[in-house]
Amino acid sequence: MTYEARKSARLFEEAVVEDSPSPLLPDFAALGLELTSQGRFQLHHGTDGLDEFPGTDAALVPDLQSAFERSELDGLLYLSSRTRGREVQDSLYFGMRLTDLVMARLATYKGSELPPPSALEPNEAEIEELVAEAPMMLGFENIEVDVIEKAGRRIARGVASAIESFGSTEAYLESLGGGWDAVGRLCLHLADHDLDAERPFAFLATWTPGPVPEPKGRMQPLRVALEALRQDPSGARFVVEQLDAAAKVSPIVERLEESGELYHALRWTSDEAYAFLEETPGLAEQGVLLRLPAGWGGQRPRRPTVELRLGETGGEAPSGDASFGGRALLDFDATLALGGEKLDAEEQARLLKGKKRLERVRGQWVEVDPEALKKTLKTWGGRDETSLAEAMRLVTGAAPADGVVVRTGEGFQSLVERLRTAAQSPASVPRSLQATLRPYQREGLAWLYTLSSLGLGGCLADDMGLGKTIQVLALILRRRAEKKAREPVLLVVPASLLGNWRREVERFAPSLTIRIAHRSGREPLADVLDQIDETDVVMSTYGTLPRLEALNQRHWPLVVLDEAQAIKNHDTLQARTVRALRSDARVALTGTPIENHVGELWSLFAFLEPGLLGTQAAFRRFATSLEERENYDPLRKLIRPYVLRREKTDRRIIRDLPDKTEIDVHTPLTQTQAALYEEAVRELSEALGNVEGQERRGLVLSFLTRFKQLCNHPSHWLGDGEFDPSESGKTQALLDIAERIHEQGEKLLVFTQFRALTDPLATLLEPVFDRPGLVLHGGTPVRKRSEYVDAFQDPDGPPFFVLSLKAGGTGLNLTAASHVVHFDRWWNPAVENQATDRAFRIGQHRNVLVHRFVCPGTLEEKIAAMLERKRAVAEQVLSFDGEKALTELSDLELLELVKLDLDAALLDEEAR
C-alpha cells in the first residue's frame, strides 16, 4: 500500500468511529511528540496546560521534559530506556520504537568493541514497517520513509559518539538503564539473605532474551533460556560462547558448568561467595553482567578502613603559641573504622584475625584483609600526636596513605584557619622600626609572625620591589622585643647583596647588631664567629656557609634565606647545607619560588618545612600524577598556607606604582647574520649523526649558544671585536631606542646573558648619550656594586647601565631608569622579570617601558613563544626545563627548532 493510500485508509477508519471527538486530528491536549518539517522530533506540551496528561504516566513527565530540553537524542533515549512498561501516548511510543531499533543493534556489541554508526542504523524493512504503523500525531504529514530513515541515522550517530566517552558498550548501556545492558548477555547473580546462617548467599545464572528488553528487562534462569532457544541455533550458540568465555577466567563457573549446577539456584557459604567475588573482575572483562548485593558499590562490599583522626580536640594545638621554637602538634589516632564509625576493641580484634574473607559487621557484609589492615596500622599507629606539616600532607593527598581515611577535627581546623587568616591578623609593628609599613607589609609581618611563632616555615614570595627586606626586619625586631633578649638570627644571602642588607639594617633597624660572616666583612671572620651570642643578625652567603662549621652546628631560633631560588637545585652543596641547618623557624624570600620546573619547589620546601612534600622521589611521582591529570589543586592547597604571594600589578596591594609596558621588538637579521646562521644549521645537522650521550648534549648546548650569539651580532660569535652596528639588526634597534631615550632625558638599563657583550654594548651606547655609562657583570667586585648603584641613582649620574643578566638581575635598586632592554632572551621568564624589577619597584615614579629584542624566524622567536607558554603555566606550578630539555630533543625536533625562516628573518632588511 502506498503512503497516500495508507494515510487515506487511516483517516477513513478514524472518521467513521462512533463517539470519537475530533476523529481526524491527534489529541492536542496530550503530551506527545511532534515531527517537524525538518524531520526532527520535539516534545509537544499540549494546549490545555500540564495538569493532566492523557495517555501518559504523569510521573514520567518532568524527567521527559528535561530530557528533550537537553536534546532530541536525550529525549528519545529516555523514552527507550526509562518508560518501558509505563503508559505513554501513541506518538511517544512511536519515538521509543524507532530508538529501540538502534539500541537493539547496540546491545549485540560486547566487551570494549565500539560500534561504527553505520552498524547501528535501522534497515529499510524495519523503517517501512514502522512508518506503516505510525499513529496520528503532530507532523503526521512529514512521516515518510526517507525522513524516518534520516532520523534513525541521526540517532545512531549520536549514540555511537556518546559511547566513546564511556569506553565500552556495557558502560554506556548501564548508564542508560532500562534493561538494555542485560539484553543478550549472561548475568551472574549473588544475593545475600538472613534465612540460612550457614549459607547466607544465593547464586543464580540468568539470560535476558532480546532484541528488545521487556518492561523490567526480565531475566530468565539460564536453563529456561536455553530451552527457549532450542529452536534458535544461532541464539543458543551465542549463549554457549559467553559461557565458554566466562569459564576461561573463572574456575568456579567452569566447575559449575561441568557439574550442571550452573543451571540451578545455589546456596553458598561466605567463603564460597568471597571466592566468586575474587573472580568477578575477570568475568566483567569478558562482558559477563554481574548483579551483586545492593549496597556493594563498585561491585565490591564495603571494607573496614584505617582512619587517621587528626586534631580532634578543640582550641589550640598542644604546642600552642606560648613561645618561639614550638612545633605545632596535633593529637593523632589510628584506628579501624567502618563507614566513618569507629569500631570497638572486640570488633577490631575479630577483623585482624584469620584470612581474607567476607565478614558480617554491624549488620552488613564487609570485605576483610587482616594482613593489609595490620600492615597499615603498623605504619601509622604507635603515636598520639603528629606535626601540622604531616597533617597537611595527609589531608591534601601528598603523603602516601593507601588504605586509610583521614578525618580532621576542631584542633586541625583551628590551626588551618589561623594560617589562612594570618595575613589579616592585627600586626603589632615594633617601635624600633624606623619606617612606616604599607598595609600589605603589615599583613606580611602578621603572617610571618604567626608562622614563626608556630615553628612553621614560610615563603614570602612578594614581587621584587615590594619590600620583603623591611618585612623581615620588622619580624626580627618584634621577636626581639617580645623575648626581651637577644636571639641571633641567621641570614643567608647572595654575596652581591651583603652591602644592601647591611645598609637596610642601618637605615630601618639601627638597634640591631649585625655581623657579616664573609671574607668581605668589616670584622675578621674569627671575631664574628666568637661573638654570635652578642649579635642580632649573623649574615653569611650561600657560598661561604658550607665552610663555616660554627654556623652549621648551631641551633638557630630563626633562619632567613634571601633570593631563596639559590637552593632550587636540591643536590647542590649549598642546598644540602641550608637544609641541614637546625632552627625553630625558617623564612625564605623569593619573588620566584619556581623558575624552571616543579622540582625546584621541592628543594625550597625541603628547607622550609621538611617532610611536607615527602622525599624528592615521592614528590616527583606525586607531581607527575598531577601533571597527567592536568590538575594541580592538591599541590596548591598543600603549599598555600606556607606561601604569601603579592604582585605589584595588583592595585589593591600598591596603588602608587606606575605602569609597566612590555613590547617585543622584532629585529631582523642582516644578510651576514642570515648567512652565518644557515651555515650553523647545516653544520649542526651534519654533526648530530656522529655523536651521542653526553657528547651530544655538549654539542647541542654549544650550537644553541652559537645561534644566540649570531642573533646578537656576527662579531659576538666570530670574536673579531669589530661590532659594526650595521651588521646586526639588534644593535641598530638598540641605537634607535637609545637616541629617543637620550632626547627625552631618561635613563636606560640593558640586560644581556653574555658577559662578553657588556663592554661592546656600552661602547656602542656611549656616543649616543655623549657620555660613558656603567657596566656590571660577574667579575665586578662586590664593593663596586653599591658604588655603581649610587652613581646611577644620582639624577646627574651615568645615563645608561649595561648588566649581565645573572649578576645584575637581583638585589639592585635602579629606579632612576624608566627603560629596560633585554638584548637577548634567557630561558625562563622569572629571571627576566627579576631583571626588569630593578627599575619597576617601589620608588619608581615613571611608567616603565620594557623592550624585548627578538630575531624573527630564528631560535629566538621560538624561545619567545616558549617564555609566553611558561608564563601561562606558572600558576599551574609547572614550567619548561629550558636548555637541559632542549638537549634531549630528537635530531628532527632540534633542527626544526633552530632552522631559519629566511623570509621572516630578513623581512625588513631589504626595505632598510
Side-chain angles (χ1 to χ4, degrees):
M1 181 181 294
T2 66
Y3 172 74
E4 290 298 330
R6 178 182 60 78
K7 185 161 70 171
S8 297
R10 174 74 62 81
L11 292 176
F12 177 78
E13 289 176 4
E14 294 186 355
V16 298
V17 174
E18 294 183 2
D19 301 324
S20 174
S22 305
L24 300 181
L25 295 172
D27 187 352
F28 282 94
L31 184 81
L33 285 186
E34 175 183 355
L35 185 64
T36 69
S37 58
Q38 289 78 33
R40 290 191 171 271
F41 290 101
Q42 62 185 29
L43 196 63
H44 169 66
H45 288 190
T47 58
D48 296 335
L50 298 177
D51 294 333
E52 296 183 2
F53 310 96
T56 299
D57 187 338
L60 297 172
V61 174
D63 289 339
L64 182 61
Q65 289 175 322
S66 297
F68 271 99
E69 286 173 2
R70 291 193 298 272
S71 69
E72 176 196 43
L73 179 63
D74 282 354
L76 292 173
L77 288 174
Y78 184 86
L79 287 172
S80 179
S81 303
R82 302 295 183 180
T83 65
R84 199 165 303 282
R86 311 282 287 276
E87 184 180 16
V88 293
Q89 192 256 5
D90 288 348
S91 63
L92 296 174
Y93 185 68
F94 178 72
M96 180 179 77
R97 289 188 58 200
L98 173 60
T99 311
D100 282 353
L101 295 176
V102 174
M103 299 302 294
R105 283 172 165 74
L106 178 62
T108 65
Y109 281 84
K110 306 302 175 188
S112 59
E113 184 181 7
L114 300 181
S118 59
L120 305 181
E121 296 175 5
N123 61 41
E124 185 176 356
E126 291 170 330
I127 295 295
E128 288 180 347
E129 180 182 354
L130 188 64
V131 168
E133 299 176 358
M136 286 298 296
M137 58 186 287
L138 287 175
F140 179 78
E141 67 278 7
N142 299 320
I143 299 179
E144 303 279 1
V145 170
D146 62 334
V147 173
I148 303 303
E149 279 183 336
K150 290 180 181 178
R153 284 195 296 273
R154 191 166 63 247
I155 297 170
R157 288 195 300 270
V159 168
S161 176
I163 294 172
E164 293 181 2
S165 63
F166 284 83
S168 70
T169 300
E170 283 91 341
Y172 177 68
L173 291 174
E174 187 174 355
S175 73
L176 294 177
W180 279 112
D181 58 330
V183 171
R185 292 177 66 184
L186 172 66
C187 182
L188 302 179
H189 302 253
L190 183 68
D192 62 327
H193 59 83
D194 298 322
L195 301 178
D196 188 339
E198 295 296 325
R199 296 181 175 274
F201 287 92
F203 173 82
L204 180 67
T206 67
W207 179 272
T208 302
V212 177
E214 295 191 22
K216 293 185 179 180
R218 186 172 62 85
M219 298 175 173
Q220 298 177 350
L222 194 56
R223 175 179 54 80
V224 176
L226 285 174
E227 290 177 357
L229 288 171
R230 284 181 177 179
Q231 306 303 318
D232 180 11
S234 62
R237 185 169 59 252
F238 195 46
V239 177
V240 172
E241 288 175 354
Q242 289 201 37
L243 281 173
D244 289 344
K248 287 180 180 178
V249 298
S250 169
I252 292 176
V253 172
E254 183 181 29
R255 174 176 56 80
L256 294 178
E257 185 182 14
E258 290 177 352
S259 66
E261 294 178 279
L262 187 66
Y263 305 99
H264 304 280
L266 304 173
R267 287 188 175 180
W268 278 355
T269 65
S270 60
D271 286 345
E272 289 174 313
Y274 182 75
F276 172 72
L277 189 65
E278 291 287 83
E279 295 181 356
T280 55
L283 290 166
E285 289 180 1
Q286 294 297 319
V288 176
L289 194 62
L290 299 166
R291 291 287 189 262
L292 302 179
W296 287 19
Q299 301 292 346
R300 306 290 292 200
R302 178 175 287 178
R303 299 183 183 188
T305 59
V306 174
E307 283 196 353
L308 307 182
R309 300 169 182 263
L310 312 171
E312 291 199 323
T313 58
E316 297 292 339
S319 65
D321 189 23
S323 64
F324 302 119
R327 302 295 291 177
L329 296 176
L330 297 162
D331 58 276
F332 180 94
D333 181 37
T335 185
L336 290 186
L338 184 64
E341 296 183 6
K342 185 175 179 179
L343 299 176
D344 61 34
E346 182 182 347
E347 291 168 327
Q348 293 192 49
R350 177 157 53 96
L351 293 180
L352 292 174
K353 295 179 180 178
K355 60 184 179 178
K356 290 183 180 181
R357 65 192 187 277
L358 293 175
E359 180 86 21
R360 186 176 284 277
V361 179
R362 298 190 178 184
Q364 58 182 299
W365 288 103
V366 298
E367 184 177 353
V368 183
D369 185 346
E371 292 304 316
L373 291 175
K374 285 188 282 190
K375 182 178 179 181
T376 305
L377 283 172
K378 183 178 180 181
T379 300
W380 296 102
R383 49 182 165 151
D384 55 12
E385 63 182 17
T386 188
S387 69
L388 176 60
E390 183 177 43
M392 293 290 292
R393 293 181 66 221
L394 289 167
V395 170
T396 57
D402 294 337
V404 307
V405 174
V406 180
R407 300 192 183 279
T408 60
E410 292 181 9
F412 175 82
Q413 299 299 336
S414 174
L415 269 179
V416 171
E417 181 64 15
R418 285 188 63 190
L419 293 177
R420 189 183 68 81
T421 60
Q424 285 75 49
S425 303
S428 175
V429 179
R431 294 181 180 180
S432 53
L433 181 69
Q434 303 299 301
T436 301
L437 296 183
R438 293 170 180 258
Y440 75 86
Q441 292 171 332
R442 293 173 67 96
E443 293 173 358
L445 169 59
W447 181 80
L448 288 170
Y449 179 79
T450 299
L451 264 69
S452 63
S453 66
L454 289 172
L456 299 175
C459 175
L460 184 59
D462 287 347
D463 265 355
M464 294 290 178
L466 287 183
K468 294 188 288 292
T469 301
I470 198 170
Q471 293 174 70
V472 168
L473 292 178
L475 171 68
I476 295 173
L477 288 170
R478 179 173 174 182
R479 288 168 60 95
R480 180 181 175 183
E482 294 190 1
K483 289 284 277 189
K484 295 182 172 54
R486 179 168 281 147
E487 55 165 21
V489 173
L490 178 62
L491 173 61
V492 186
V493 305
S496 60
L497 299 186
L498 290 170
N500 287 41
W501 269 94
R502 185 178 61 245
R503 286 193 299 273
E504 297 289 276
V505 171
E506 293 171 350
R507 178 183 177 187
F508 298 119
S511 63
L512 292 178
T513 302
I514 182 171
R515 287 188 169 89
I516 299 177
H518 186 263
R519 56 183 173 79
S520 66
R522 297 172 178 173
E523 299 176 84
L525 187 56
D527 292 349
V528 172
L529 299 179
D530 286 341
Q531 301 178 60
I532 291 178
D533 290 329
E534 289 75 46
T535 306
D536 293 306
V537 178
V538 178
M539 185 163 54
S540 190
T541 68
Y542 292 102
T544 301
L545 184 63
R547 300 192 298 270
L548 299 181
E549 197 71 17
L551 301 185
N552 295 321
Q553 295 301 317
R554 189 182 184 91
H555 189 97
W556 301 90
L558 176 66
V559 173
V560 179
L561 304 186
D562 191 19
E563 301 295 347
Q565 66 273 14
I567 64 167
K568 63 183 180 182
N569 296 322
H570 69 91
D571 56 352
T572 61
L573 175 60
Q574 61 193 39
R576 295 197 305 270
T577 301
V578 165
R579 290 201 301 271
L581 290 171
R582 294 178 296 166
S583 63
D584 295 329
R586 301 180 174 194
V587 172
L589 308 179
T590 174
T592 55
I594 300 176
E595 287 191 339
N596 283 308
H597 54 84
V598 75
E600 298 170 358
L601 194 64
W602 181 88
S603 186
L604 179 66
F605 273 89
F607 162 74
L608 283 177
E609 201 57 54
L612 180 69
L613 299 186
T615 65
Q616 205 275 333
F619 179 69
R620 185 168 57 247
R621 292 192 297 271
F622 174 57
T624 299
S625 70
L626 299 180
E627 180 181 2
E628 290 172 350
R629 299 199 304 268
E630 297 183 352
N631 177 17
Y632 288 86
D633 284 344
L635 179 56
R636 281 197 295 270
K637 291 177 181 177
L638 180 60
I639 67 174
R640 185 176 295 139
Y642 309 97
V643 179
L644 183 60
R645 169 72 171 163
R646 279 86 61 88
E647 298 176 324
K648 293 195 293 280
T649 52
D650 187 348
R651 295 300 182 185
R652 294 171 300 176
I653 299 300
I654 180 167
R655 297 178 175 83
D656 56 355
L657 196 65
D659 292 330
K660 176 178 69 172
T661 303
E662 297 178 302
I663 58 173
D664 287 337
V665 180
H666 291 95
T667 57
L669 298 181
T670 63
Q671 295 286 350
T672 302
Q673 285 177 294
L676 291 170
Y677 193 102
E678 283 195 301
E679 180 183 349
V681 174
R682 286 194 298 271
E683 289 184 21
L684 175 61
S685 179
E686 294 171 359
L688 284 173
N690 302 317
V691 293
E692 58 183 20
Q694 193 63 37
E695 185 179 358
R696 182 184 185 277
R697 296 185 184 95
L699 175 73
V700 172
L701 287 175
S702 68
F703 267 90
L704 290 176
T705 301
R706 177 173 170 182
F707 289 124
K708 296 176 77 173
Q709 290 173 329
L710 289 172
C711 288
N712 285 342
H713 195 288
S715 294
H716 188 188
W717 179 67
L718 294 172
D720 57 16
E722 296 294 330
F723 286 97
D724 181 348
S726 64
E727 290 295 335
S728 165
K730 285 189 176 183
T731 53
Q732 294 175 56
L734 177 62
L735 294 178
D736 290 342
I737 291 172
E739 287 180 1
R740 295 196 298 270
I741 294 172
H742 177 55
E743 291 171 359
Q744 297 166 3
E746 296 176 330
K747 292 191 177 188
L748 167 68
L749 301 180
V750 180
F751 287 97
T752 174
Q753 72 175 92
F754 298 99
R755 172 177 172 176
L757 199 57
T758 54
D759 286 329
L761 291 179
T763 301
L764 288 172
L765 289 172
E766 186 173 335
V768 178
F769 287 95
D770 297 326
R771 55 189 297 202
L774 296 169
V775 174
L776 186 147
H777 47 64
T780 304
V782 174
R783 64 181 181 278
K784 285 288 187 182
R785 291 172 62 95
S786 57
E787 294 177 11
Y788 288 172
V789 170
D790 293 341
F792 187 75
Q793 289 294 90
D794 188 326
D796 297 324
F800 66 89
F801 206 155
V802 181
L803 311 97
S804 67
L805 195 60
K806 285 297 184 70
T810 58
L812 302 179
N813 187 343
L814 301 172
T815 53
S818 56
H819 290 267
V820 177
V821 168
H822 289 288
F823 195 78
D824 39 51
R825 309 300 301 277
W826 186 234
W827 298 108
N828 73 66
V831 174
E832 286 191 350
N833 290 340
Q834 284 180 326
T836 298
D837 286 345
R838 300 310 96 220
F840 187 62
R841 58 196 298 122
I842 293 176
Q844 179 61 263
H845 302 293
R846 289 167 294 183
N847 292 337
V848 175
L849 185 58
V850 183
H851 313 262
R852 302 181 301 208
F853 285 5
V854 178
C855 289
T858 71
L859 168 69
E860 281 202 333
E861 189 170 53
K862 298 178 178 67
I863 292 176
M866 179 187 72
L867 292 176
E868 290 307 311
R869 289 195 301 271
K870 290 176 68 175
R871 286 186 175 93
V873 302
E875 294 302 319
Q876 292 294 321
V877 202
L878 186 66
S879 191
F880 183 74
D881 196 9
E883 283 182 341
K884 181 178 179 182
L886 294 180
T887 64
E888 308 304 322
L889 295 177
S890 69
D891 292 355
L892 184 61
E893 292 170 327
L894 182 61
L895 293 174
E896 182 66 26
L897 178 72
V898 303
K899 77 176 183 180
L900 180 64
D901 181 347
L902 202 57
D903 290 337
L906 299 176
L907 182 63
D908 297 326
E909 172 65 16
E910 295 180 0
R912 182 176 284 117

